[in-house]
Amino acid sequence: VASFVKLQFIGISPSNDYYEYLSTAKAIAHASGGEINRARILNPLNPLMVSMIGRLTGFESALIVQAVLMYGALTIAMYMLAREFFRDEDLAFLAAIMVALSYPVLKYGIEGYSETGAWFFFILALWLTLSFSREPLLRTFLYACAVVTVGFLWKEYAIVAGIILAVVTLAHPALSVRAKVMFSLI
């Protein structure tokens, strides 16, 4: 609902990033008017997703569709993180709503940017890191590493979640030195 209201009554403010992502997505899709932008191809997953959506919706609206989809995913990931953190469904719901309706998320998340996806991957990785800190399973660690990697390919600053995962792993009191080395090598 919030994304609909924002798009209907406030609209978007296309930036240079918008046009660069759009041009790169068009180039990936072999559409006319596309040109690979070196700064955008360093994080190829967003332009790749936009190129796939663009074939269905048209390229001009594909970035916004991507942002709205990632906005929904971000809200769900925030709920999962808050539920794991607070261990309370009501507080988790409240935290997810607060994030979904926060000014930065509404202002910059539902725009022609890649930030919303990066926030999603960051929050999802934090949820997995918190789960790992409570029960250090290899499977959870691998999921967290996968999310950090995919997040990095979406937007480089998602790597901060990888740093947090590394700190949690190295400082975990239940892990032996051997286990910490094994996790670090992974």
Side-chain angles (χ1 to χ4, degrees), residues 1-12 64-65 68 110-111:
V1 174
S3 61
F4 175 79
V5 170
K6 197 260 187 194
L7 291 171
Q8 288 299 318
F9 297 105
I10 299 171
I12 64 166
I64 303 306
V65 171
V68 170
I110 306 170
E111 282 285 340

Coordinates of all heavy atoms in Angstrom, one line a residue, residues 1-12 64-65 68 110-111:
V1 N 0.8 -1.2 0.0 CA 0.0 0.0 0.0 C 0.9 1.3 0.0 O 0.6 2.2 -0.7 CB -1.0 0.0 1.2 CG1 -1.7 1.3 1.3 CG2 -1.9 -1.2 1.1
A2 N 1.9 1.2 0.9 CA 2.8 2.4 0.9 C 3.5 2.7 -0.4 O 3.6 3.8 -0.8 CB 3.8 2.2 2.1
S3 N 3.9 1.6 -1.1 CA 4.6 1.9 -2.3 C 3.6 2.4 -3.4 O 4.0 3.3 -4.2 CB 5.2 0.6 -2.8 OG 4.3 -0.5 -3.0
F4 N 2.4 1.9 -3.4 CA 1.3 2.4 -4.3 C 1.1 3.9 -4.0 O 1.1 4.7 -5.0 CB 0.1 1.6 -4.1 CG -1.1 2.2 -4.9 CD1 -1.2 1.9 -6.3 CD2 -2.1 3.0 -4.4 CE1 -2.2 2.4 -7.1 CE2 -3.1 3.5 -5.1 CZ -3.2 3.2 -6.5
V5 N 0.9 4.3 -2.7 CA 0.7 5.7 -2.4 C 1.8 6.5 -2.8 O 1.7 7.6 -3.4 CB 0.4 5.8 -0.9 CG1 0.4 7.3 -0.4 CG2 -0.9 5.2 -0.5
K6 N 3.1 6.1 -2.6 CA 4.2 6.9 -2.9 C 4.3 7.1 -4.4 O 4.5 8.2 -4.9 CB 5.5 6.2 -2.4 CG 6.7 7.1 -2.4 CD 7.6 6.9 -3.6 CE 8.9 7.7 -3.4 NZ 9.7 7.8 -4.6
L7 N 4.1 6.0 -5.2 CA 4.2 6.1 -6.6 C 3.1 7.0 -7.2 O 3.3 7.7 -8.2 CB 4.2 4.7 -7.3 CG 5.5 3.9 -7.0 CD1 5.3 2.5 -7.5 CD2 6.7 4.6 -7.6
Q8 N 1.9 6.8 -6.7 CA 0.7 7.6 -7.2 C 0.7 9.0 -6.9 O 0.3 9.9 -7.7 CB -0.6 6.9 -6.7 CG -0.9 5.6 -7.4 CD -1.1 5.7 -8.9 OE1 -1.7 6.6 -9.4 NE2 -0.5 4.7 -9.6
F9 N 1.1 9.4 -5.7 CA 0.9 10.7 -5.2 C 2.2 11.5 -5.2 O 2.2 12.8 -5.2 CB 0.2 10.8 -3.8 CG -1.2 10.2 -3.9 CD1 -1.4 9.0 -3.4 CD2 -2.2 10.9 -4.5 CE1 -2.7 8.4 -3.5 CE2 -3.5 10.4 -4.6 CZ -3.7 9.2 -4.1
I10 N 3.3 10.9 -5.0 CA 4.6 11.6 -5.0 C 5.4 11.4 -6.2 O 6.1 12.3 -6.7 CB 5.4 11.1 -3.7 CG1 4.6 11.5 -2.5 CG2 6.8 11.8 -3.7 CD1 5.2 10.9 -1.2
G11 N 5.4 10.1 -6.8 CA 6.1 9.8 -8.0 C 7.6 9.5 -7.7 O 8.0 9.4 -6.5
I12 N 8.4 9.5 -8.7 CA 9.8 9.2 -8.6 C 10.6 10.4 -9.2 O 10.1 11.2 -9.9 CB 10.2 7.9 -9.3 CG1 10.0 8.0 -10.8 CG2 9.5 6.7 -8.8 CD1 10.7 6.9 -11.6
I64 N 11.4 0.5 -11.4 CA 10.5 0.7 -10.4 C 9.8 -0.6 -9.9 O 9.6 -0.8 -8.7 CB 9.4 1.8 -10.8 CG1 10.1 3.1 -11.3 CG2 8.4 2.0 -9.7 CD1 11.0 3.7 -10.2
V65 N 9.5 -1.4 -10.9 CA 8.9 -2.8 -10.5 C 9.9 -3.5 -9.7 O 9.6 -4.1 -8.7 CB 8.6 -3.5 -11.8 CG1 8.2 -5.0 -11.5 CG2 7.4 -2.9 -12.6
V68 N 9.9 -2.1 -6.2 CA 8.7 -2.4 -5.4 C 8.8 -3.9 -5.0 O 8.5 -4.2 -3.8 CB 7.4 -2.2 -6.2 CG1 6.2 -2.8 -5.5 CG2 7.3 -0.7 -6.4
I110 N 11.8 3.2 -3.0 CA 10.8 3.0 -4.1 C 11.2 4.1 -5.2 O 10.4 5.0 -5.4 CB 9.4 3.1 -3.6 CG1 9.2 2.1 -2.5 CG2 8.4 2.9 -4.7 CD1 7.9 2.3 -1.7
E111 N 12.3 3.9 -5.7 CA 12.9 4.8 -6.8 C 13.6 3.9 -7.8 O 13.6 2.7 -7.6 CB 13.9 5.8 -6.2 CG 13.2 6.9 -5.4 CD 12.6 8.0 -6.3 OE1 13.0 8.1 -7.5 OE2 11.8 8.8 -5.8

